[in-house]
Amino acid sequence: MSVQTTLLSFVNRWECDENDHLNVQFYFSRFEEADRQFRLLSGLSETLVGARRVRHVRFHAELRTGDLITVHSSIAFDGPHMLTVIHELRDGASGELAATALDGYEPSANSAKTLRQRFKAFQTSMIDEAAPRGIPAGPANARATIANLEAKGAQIAYRGTVLPRDVGVDGRADDRFALACCTDGVAHVWQRTPMTHAYLTENGLGRVAVEMKLTWATPLKSGDTMIVLSGFTGVSAKTFAMRHHLFESRTSRLVATLDVIALTMDLERRLAVELPPEAHQAINKMLID
């Protein structure tokens, strides 16, 4: 009974992006629904373990229009958090692992033994594929301010409003909304580098995320207006890191932080390619961390 089937779904054409694969916001929406179902099946609740601190997602394989989706969920006490919920999203036809999510909780240390017993029927061991690689496991800094970020070189990449359709069953904007804001804005972040829209189009390349960590600081509700400030936090031969900060714009209140590891993909061969030297140099000069 350890691993629970928490989602049976399907990739719709309208959920795929310019790279002709499932957009990251819809991976997060699948994990969100799987989490709701897992809570129902297991009895996991914020009353027992506190609020979720992070959702850490790694992308392992592409999903295309028409692909089947299944998610299986379980609890690992040997993960990077005191209590870690693992969601494994697979191609429902081939069984190939397409993405993993780690939901991190930090309940009281005194409750560890009780929680292990309570959730004994839902426990599995941590899987290596889901372990954080390029992004630390812990929550992002919740003290970031607009002024400090702009002083370091972060720039606004998106402005928007929370609409009723963006709010989940708990009355708050959900993960998919946060990801949608960042994915709509991210092309403008890439545009600050030599890897502009024109460069990518000319070379047959796409923008791809391989790892993400979402940290909520405070909730957003319907009618709130918000901005996203983004900046680069690291660069290597094939990948670079960026951080998106979502603020409620009327009060300048930090709402959420999304850390991202990104790369360029050859759209013909569907393989990662090295960053051009000029892009590596440009990003290295714009780091906000």
Side-chain angles (χ1 to χ4, degrees), residues 5 14 38 41 47 50 55 59 111 127 134-135 139 147 149 161 181 195 210 220 263 269 272-273 276 287 289:
T5 301
W14 57 268
F38 184 68
L41 293 166
T47 302
R55 173 161 285 155
F59 303 97
S111 66
I127 60 172
I135 303 173
L149 290 169
T161 304
C181 296
M195 296 179 294
V210 292
L220 276 174
L263 53 77
R269 297 181 296 145
V273 299
L287 300 182
D289 246 4

Side-chain angles (χ1 to χ4, degrees), residues 98-116:
T100 51
L102 298 181
D103 292 350
Y105 299 87
E106 296 296 333
S108 165
N110 297 330
S111 66
K113 185 176 181 180
T114 302
L115 292 173
R116 283 177 180 270

Side-chain angles (χ1 to χ4, degrees), residues 67-219:
D67 284 345
L68 280 66
I69 296 173
T70 62
V71 178
H72 296 86
S73 307
S74 58
I75 293 174
F77 284 98
D78 60 346
H81 308 277
M82 185 172 292
L83 186 149
T84 304
V85 176
I86 306 173
H87 303 289
E88 301 175 44
L89 190 154
R90 295 181 180 273
D91 182 313
S94 69
E96 182 180 16
L97 186 65
T100 51
L102 298 181
D103 292 350
Y105 299 87
E106 296 296 333
S108 165
N110 297 330
S111 66
K113 185 176 181 180
T114 302
L115 292 173
R116 283 177 180 270
Q117 186 61 36
R118 185 181 185 111
F119 297 112
K120 185 177 181 180
F122 304 94
Q123 289 182 42
T124 55
S125 297
M126 177 66 184
I127 60 172
D128 183 62
E129 292 91 340
R133 291 290 193 273
I135 303 173
N141 179 7
R143 296 188 297 274
T145 67
I146 292 175
N148 286 343
L149 290 169
E150 288 182 332
K152 293 178 179 180
Q155 298 177 28
I156 293 176
Y158 181 85
R159 291 183 180 271
T161 304
V162 183
L163 301 176
R165 65 170 180 261
D166 303 315
V167 174
V169 294
D170 59 358
R172 304 175 180 182
D174 58 16
D175 284 11
R176 188 211 58 79
F177 174 75
L179 267 290
C181 296
C182 296
T183 56
D184 279 359
V186 76
H188 299 277
V189 183
W190 282 67
Q191 199 70 8
R192 301 174 199 166
T193 78
M195 296 179 294
T196 61
H197 178 71
Y199 172 86
L200 295 173
T201 301
E202 182 180 344
N203 290 277
L205 302 174
R207 310 177 191 92
V208 176
V210 292
E211 187 173 355
M212 290 179 156
K213 181 182 71 178
L214 178 64
T215 306
W216 283 98
T218 56

